[in-house]
Amino acid sequence: MTLTRTGAHPHEDLLAEVSGVLSSVDELHDYVTRVVHAVRRHVTGCDEVGVTLLVDGRPSTAAYTTVTTLEVDAVQYQLDQGPCLEAARERTEVVATIGDGGDRGDATQRWPLFAEAVRRDGIQSLMALPLVSGAECVGALNLYSETPHAFDDFDASVARVGAARAADAIVAVTELDGAQRLAGQLEQAMASRAVIEQAKGVLMALRGIDEHEAFDWLRATSQTRNVRVKALSEQVVAGVRNRGEGESTA
């Protein structure tokens, strides 16, 4: 059995976190959200993670760790170039570093417009793995780092565990419910993002924590209370709004 440099077992730990069978596409958003945060925790040097799904050839971000992930993904979709699109369309793993100055990185040469845009977000390393299960490729798992040359072969082997398991779950539930239901679920997920981001902002302000810690609180509390993250986020935002209204009328 291969050990990490720190003596932990990230392959097994990650697999344990992303295992499970989806009974319907309604469970997909919560599942892929769990996947991206688990991958971020277990891949060394990874700062942000997203899942891109292709529905009728159109890419959409199904889950993300922070809004930075959304911004980077959106640049790829707008320009129609970048690692996640290449990984999904070509069914190949993509690892690249964005060059700086005289050290022109692979990403700068392959996707110049994309590289220039994401450099402003502080992204320096990229890794995208196709979500392949059987004969189907449904998208890509995207990892981003603010450190140049952040991902090595060991990191890729850990990320493959998450990509393979997520691909199996997504393909299975799509075959069960159909691509049309998947498209509808993605639209609902996009609609829920606003309230989740609002709740994270509230927690960051009240608790003095960062965006990752805010989501970890939402995730852990949702599990404890047995409610969905979206419903809990609505409660957090409503609580602050009601408090503010109470103070204004006091």
Side-chain angles (χ1 to χ4, degrees), residues 57 64 74 101 139 169 176 193:
Y64 58 97
L176 179 68
R193 286 175 183 168

Side-chain angles (χ1 to χ4, degrees), residues 198-199 201-203 206 233-247:
Q198 283 181 311
V202 167
L203 293 170
L206 293 179
S233 298
E234 291 171 341
Q235 294 172 16
V236 170
V237 173
V240 172
R241 184 180 297 117
N242 292 338
R243 185 186 310 168
E245 292 175 351
E247 291 176 352

Side-chain angles (χ1 to χ4, degrees), residues 67-77 114 118 121 123 126 144:
V67 291
T68 297
T69 320
L70 280 176
E71 293 169 355
V72 175
D73 287 351
V75 170
Q76 296 186 72
Y77 306 156
F114 165 74
V118 300
D121 288 324
I123 302 300
L126 320 153
Y144 305 114

Side-chain angles (χ1 to χ4, degrees), residues 74-118:
V75 170
Q76 296 186 72
Y77 306 156
Q78 181 179 10
L79 296 174
D80 196 35
Q81 65 172 234
C84 82
L85 297 180
E86 183 170 317
R89 291 168 176 170
E90 304 297 329
R91 302 191 178 199
T92 185
E93 293 183 7
V94 177
V95 179
T97 289
I98 295 178
D100 185 16
D103 178 22
R104 292 182 62 82
D106 187 43
T108 305
Q109 298 178 28
R110 294 165 72 173
W111 319 290
L113 296 177
F114 165 74
E116 180 61 30
V118 300

